[in-house]
Amino acid sequence: MEARLSDIPQDEVLRYLGYRGQSIDDNLRKQLENCIRAVKDCTKARLTYRILPVKDSMIEGLVLEGRDIKALLEGCTKAIAMAATLGPEAEALLRRTEVTNMADAVIMDSAQSTAIENVCDNFESDMRLEFGKQGLYLTDRYSPGYGDLPLLSQKAIAELLVAEKRIGLTVTDNMIMIPRKSVTCIIGISDSPRTLKRRGCDSCSARENCFFRAQGSVCNA
């Protein structure tokens, strides 16, 4: 299954920029359109994944700490470990723009956050369709740094997937992913329907002490 970037909705980019329904003028709208187009034109999204056995809420080959991931995988027989990235081209665009036009760079950063989320959403949707044909159901998508699943798990997932070789994604000792606009995640596979939660800060058990919120970001981008 290949990575698909299908859309970068302008309203979602504005959400990452901190807008909450305020009106925007024509100049800003045009700037948004140009920045989104530039991100789309340069992005070459990549992803890799594996389907792994689950036993006693533990994924074979992966040590994942925390109560939340165990609850997610309860009743699952298999799980999907996935890593996705917008690629070095998107990273280079952002770096260049930070030097020449910081206002555009801020918008492009939000557009890229929206883009990697779209890639992950499309992958999840495709997998739900594929496994649905087999009478199987998927859990929510869950990423390191969300809830009580530690960021350290990013490195474990990336290494298990050989992400550096397959899609050019590396994770530093400080748990920073390079390229920056990258995601690792786990999705459980179950024989029975699962109750899905709305992803977001409001439903996260680590909301009040979140590393990402302190940096003005979110864990799934």
Side-chain angles (χ1 to χ4, degrees), residues 5 8 13 30-44 86 88-94 96-97 100 104-105 107-109 111-112 115:
L5 172 58
I8 304 179
V13 176
K30 185 66 175 178
Q31 187 180 18
L32 282 163
E33 290 172 355
N34 291 337
C35 290
I36 289 171
R37 186 181 306 111
V39 169
K40 283 183 177 178
D41 288 346
C42 82
T43 295
K44 296 181 180 178
L86 295 187
E89 299 85 0
E91 181 93 352
L93 171 67
L94 195 56
R96 290 196 305 270
T97 309
T100 60
D104 279 356
I107 294 174
M108 287 183 185
D109 183 80
Q112 289 186 2

Side-chain angles (χ1 to χ4, degrees), residues 1 49-52 77-81 123-139 187-192:
M1 189 172 294
Y49 70 96
R50 286 181 62 184
I51 299 170
L52 301 163
T77 56
K78 296 179 181 178
I80 304 163
F123 171 80
E124 183 179 337
S125 177
D126 290 345
M127 296 302 277
R128 287 191 188 281
L129 181 62
E130 186 66 27
F131 281 100
K133 295 175 183 176
Q134 305 173 41
L136 298 172
Y137 304 87
L138 300 188
T139 68
I187 307 173
I189 303 171
S190 175
D191 295 328
S192 57

Side-chain angles (χ1 to χ4, degrees), residues 158-176:
E159 289 176 351
L160 177 74
L161 295 173
V162 198
E164 183 173 6
K165 179 179 180 181
R166 291 177 177 169
I167 62 172
L169 168 62
T170 60
V171 181
T172 70
D173 291 338
N174 294 325
M175 300 304 117
I176 302 299

Side-chain angles (χ1 to χ4, degrees), residues 1-219:
M1 189 172 294
E2 295 185 355
R4 292 192 296 114
L5 172 58
S6 57
D7 193 19
I8 304 179
Q10 193 173 105
D11 58 348
E12 191 68 6
V13 176
L14 285 168
R15 184 181 71 83
Y16 275 106
L17 287 168
Y19 282 74
R20 295 295 182 268
Q22 303 99 312
S23 61
I24 62 173
D25 61 28
D26 289 341
N27 289 335
L28 178 55
R29 191 174 300 279
K30 185 66 175 178
Q31 187 180 18
L32 282 163
E33 290 172 355
N34 291 337
C35 290
I36 289 171
R37 186 181 306 111
V39 169
K40 283 183 177 178
D41 288 346
C42 82
T43 295
K44 296 181 180 178
R46 305 161 173 87
L47 68 79
T48 185
Y49 70 96
R50 286 181 62 184
I51 299 170
L52 301 163
V54 172
K55 184 177 181 180
D56 298 328
S57 298
M58 297 292 290
I59 300 175
E60 184 177 291
L62 266 181
V63 177
L64 300 175
E65 300 177 3
R67 297 183 303 274
D68 291 345
I69 192 66
K70 290 181 174 60
L72 182 84
L73 296 175
E74 186 176 357
C76 293
T77 56
K78 296 179 181 178
I80 304 163
M82 187 272 280
T85 180
L86 295 187
E89 299 85 0
E91 181 93 352
L93 171 67
L94 195 56
R95 295 297 190 191
R96 290 196 305 270
T97 309
E98 286 172 345
V99 174
T100 60
N101 190 323
M102 184 53 71
D104 279 356
V106 171
I107 294 174
M108 287 183 185
D109 183 80
S110 295
Q112 289 186 2
S113 294
T114 304
I116 190 62
E117 184 73 1
N118 178 259
V119 170
C120 293
D121 285 346
N122 286 336
F123 171 80
E124 183 179 337
S125 177
D126 290 345
M127 296 302 277
R128 287 191 188 281
L129 181 62
E130 186 66 27
F131 281 100
K133 295 175 183 176
Q134 305 173 41
L136 298 172
Y137 304 87
L138 300 188
T139 68
D140 290 301
R141 185 172 79 238
Y142 212 84
S143 291
Y146 192 75
D148 65 355
L149 182 62
L151 279 175
L152 186 64
S153 301
Q154 286 184 160
K155 198 171 188 68
I157 295 171
E159 289 176 351
L160 177 74
L161 295 173
V162 198
E164 183 173 6
K165 179 179 180 181
R166 291 177 177 169
I167 62 172
L169 168 62
T170 60
V171 181
T172 70
D173 291 338
N174 294 325
M175 300 304 117
I176 302 299
M177 289 190 283
I178 302 173
R180 286 183 291 174
K181 297 304 179 180
S182 302
V183 167
T184 61
C185 72
I186 298 293
I187 307 173
I189 303 171
S190 175
D191 295 328
S192 57
R194 302 298 297 261
T195 300
L196 304 180
K197 297 180 180 179
R198 179 180 178 273
R199 280 193 300 272
C201 296
D202 290 341
S203 62
C204 179
S205 62
R207 183 179 189 277
E208 299 305 321
N209 300 296
C210 177
F211 167 83
F212 293 98
R213 281 169 57 84
Q215 302 300 314
S217 182
V218 291
C219 65

